Amino acid sequence: MGLKMKIRLPKGYPYLYETHLHTSQGSACAVDTGKRMAETCKAAGYTGIIVTDHNWGGNTAVNRYLPWKEWVGQFAEGYEDAKRAGDEVGLDVFFGYEAGYRGTEFLIYGVDKEFMLAHEELRTATVEQQYRLIHEAGGMVVHAHPFREEYYIPEIRLYPEYVDAVEGINATHSNRKSKAHNDKSFDDKAIDYAGRQKLPMTAGSDIHRTDLFGGGMAFSRKLESIQDFIRAVLDGEDYLLTNGEFWFTKDGQKIGEAAADDR
């Protein structure tokens, strides 16, 4: 059973969204189901979550050699489980996924299960082709944890021309509760990179279980949809980033401690 927490949000930003979350149905590295993740995030004070399970190019929990229709159907089960639970408890649950390309990973927002079913070419798409396909569908590509160093990442690859934003804050890098990938310099480099490339930043916990970090993005208003989230990021709307311990401006400047009550 995960440690229960209640996030205290900063004045003026009462709507917190987890943008990087995995479920055991879709990600082999995750521990808890979509239902449990949704219920726990609601209890902690999140307004919404985006389920971003690993696709066939990453640590997927689904047999990547299944026929395409069957693969997509099983892959979406984590999101669908979370969505049902979210509807019951009053948590917004949006669809996304984490695309892997030889160890480099991207958060894909703004497409859905039906889009994936209609585009089997995603399975063999290059980074450039992926960007085109997602853009044609009105989606957004974010470079996830671009400077993380791990055994499964053979080299740091940067694609500023084929992403719309950078995950500047990944809570697994800098939250004291994290037991993996814990190196704050990964975030420092991502923030610097995003600034130099003039790319907007996102933040997420990269959470795999109900022991939440409290990371994500806080807005002054409630987001209506995943497309609303994309517009907010790309149009330069005001929001805050957090790793669950500190708050940052959307440009990555630390502005204060993030408070949470552990219970």
Side-chain angles (χ1 to χ4, degrees), residues 3 10 18 25 34-35 75 85 95 104 147 173 178 182 197 201 219 224 230 254:
L3 177 67
E18 176 58 82
Q25 292 104 319
K35 180 178 187 294
F75 175 73
F95 179 86
T104 303
F147 291 92
H173 296 163
S178 175
N182 201 287
Q197 295 295 330
M201 283 191 290
F219 294 82
E224 298 302 320
I230 292 171
K254 186 188 294 185

Side-chain angles (χ1 to χ4, degrees), residues 91-254:
L91 178 81
D92 290 335
V93 179
F94 303 135
F95 179 86
Y97 65 91
E98 188 166 11
Y101 181 76
R102 300 178 187 173
T104 303
E105 294 180 302
F106 306 89
L107 295 165
I108 307 298
Y109 304 116
V111 298
D112 55 18
K113 178 181 176 180
E114 286 66 35
F115 169 82
M116 295 183 78
L117 285 169
H119 291 86
E120 187 172 355
E121 66 268 32
L122 284 166
R123 204 170 205 166
T124 56
T126 64
V127 172
E128 297 87 342
Q129 291 166 339
Q130 169 184 262
Y131 183 72
R132 177 179 56 80
L133 285 165
I134 300 304
H135 262 232
E136 287 175 353
M140 177 170 73
V141 180
V142 177
H143 196 151
H145 44 71
F147 291 92
R148 177 181 291 175
E149 297 177 21
E150 279 292 351
Y151 70 92
Y152 62 86
I153 304 174
E155 61 180 310
I156 301 298
R157 301 185 187 91
L158 302 176
Y159 298 91
E161 67 273 39
Y162 298 120
V163 299
D164 301 294
V166 172
E167 186 182 52
I169 305 291
N170 183 297
T172 64
H173 296 163
S174 53
N175 189 291
R176 60 185 167 80
K177 298 177 183 176
S178 175
K179 295 182 174 131
H181 322 305
N182 201 287
D183 188 330
K184 181 180 172 294
S185 72
F186 300 157
D187 281 357
D188 293 340
K189 291 174 184 177
I191 291 169
D192 177 69
Y193 169 63
R196 286 188 286 106
Q197 295 295 330
K198 295 180 170 53
L199 288 166
M201 283 191 290
T202 66
S205 293
D206 200 354
I207 197 72
H208 289 69
R209 58 195 306 155
T210 57
D211 294 323
L212 302 182
F213 297 149
M217 299 170 64
F219 294 82
S220 60
R221 65 178 181 88
K222 190 175 187 293
L223 301 177
E224 298 302 320
S225 64
I226 190 66
Q227 292 298 334
D228 198 15
F229 169 70
I230 292 171
R231 286 191 294 270
V233 173
L234 298 185
D235 291 350
E237 186 170 317
D238 186 35
Y239 54 80
L240 298 182
L241 313 174
T242 183
N243 66 351
E245 292 196 340
F246 296 97
W247 291 104
F248 302 81
T249 67
K250 66 180 182 179
D251 299 319
Q253 300 299 311
K254 186 188 294 185

